[in-house]
Structures are given as C-alpha cells and as structure tokens.
Amino acid sequence: MIEPHPSGGYILDELVVGMTAEKLVTVTEQRIDQFAEASDDFNPVHMDEAFASRTAYRGRIAHGLLSASFGSAVVGTILGQTLNFHRPVRIGDVASARVTVAAIDHAAARVVLRCEVYVGGDLVMDGDATVRVPRRRRVQKDL
C-alpha cells in the first residue's frame, strides 16, 4: 500500500505496476442526499426507506455512481473508465476504494488503473480507469 506523495501526486517515473492506494469512505445519509442533489437522481431506492424495503435490495442503497466516485478520490482526473456494479452499498457501510497500477504506457504518459470498491471484503464495484500522468513536477513559483 502506498502513501500519498508529499508533493500531492506521483509522476510517471515513480509508478510501477502493482502499486496500490486505498481510501476508506463511510456512506452516510448526508452523502446520499448530497449526491441526489448534485445528480438530480431522486430514485426512491436511494431516498425512501419504505419504498426501498419492498425491493430486491430490502432497504435504501447508495447510488452506484456515488460508490464509483470514491475511486475518483484516489485516482484524480479520469480520462476513461469502465464500471461494473456487483452489490449495493448501504447507509452505514464503510467502502474501501482500492486503486492498483495495472499497466503503464511510458510513450503516451498514460496509466491503466484497476479500481475496486469493497464493503467488508465483498467486491461491490470494479473497473479500469485510464489516466494521464505528468512526466515531471511543476516548479513552484515564489509569490
């Protein structure tokens, strides 16, 4: 498991296949409400416990793209991503977003990242993200 880089991010030459970073996020009612506001997705399976309890999920679940956004917090700017949703995420769940360097294209300065989100050891979402990685750090200018 790698730690956040002191500069705020890794450059291309510092990455190796197999490097992994992880972030834990607790899914709260407030997060679901805020995501619904931001996305304009007020589907009752996310917002209404009485409705959701009568579905196959047997209760409210987080939006799938809310779960996917946890990986974005680890990745940074995503240029392309595939997503597969395997299980619902519920209020109170602690989601573990794990991102692993799967491939490096040095010529194009792009990296394929394997993104996985787990709740208690169960895979709830996975996919691959292709990101562009800087070749060198920007020099800080004195103000």
Side-chain angles (χ1 to χ4, degrees), residues 2-125:
I2 62 171
E3 296 296 320
H5 196 280
S7 72
Y10 287 84
I11 60 171
L12 189 65
D13 288 339
E14 295 170 331
L15 297 175
V16 296
V17 172
M19 289 176 75
T20 301
E22 187 171 353
K23 179 178 181 68
L24 298 177
V25 179
T26 300
V27 178
T28 63
E29 196 161 354
Q30 181 182 12
R31 281 185 189 271
I32 290 173
D33 291 346
Q34 289 172 333
F35 190 85
E37 285 291 331
S39 66
D40 205 27
D41 180 354
F42 294 95
N43 184 316
V45 76
H46 308 303
M47 309 305 294
D48 182 342
E49 183 62 41
F51 173 87
S53 67
R54 295 188 306 273
T55 69
Y57 298 115
R58 298 190 173 127
R60 286 176 65 190
I61 62 171
H63 301 75
L65 291 178
L66 173 60
S67 302
S69 74
F70 303 150
S72 180
V74 180
V75 172
T77 305
I78 298 174
L79 297 179
Q81 186 172 23
T82 61
L83 297 174
N84 304 297
F85 297 98
H86 304 289
R87 293 176 173 236
V89 177
R90 302 180 185 284
I91 295 170
D93 284 349
V94 175
S96 171
R98 187 177 306 156
V99 176
T100 302
V101 177
I104 300 171
D105 180 345
H106 287 278
R110 294 184 195 269
V111 177
V112 176
L113 302 171
R114 181 72 183 151
C115 304
E116 300 166 312
V117 177
Y118 292 86
V119 171
D122 290 328
L123 181 67
V124 298
M125 189 275 309

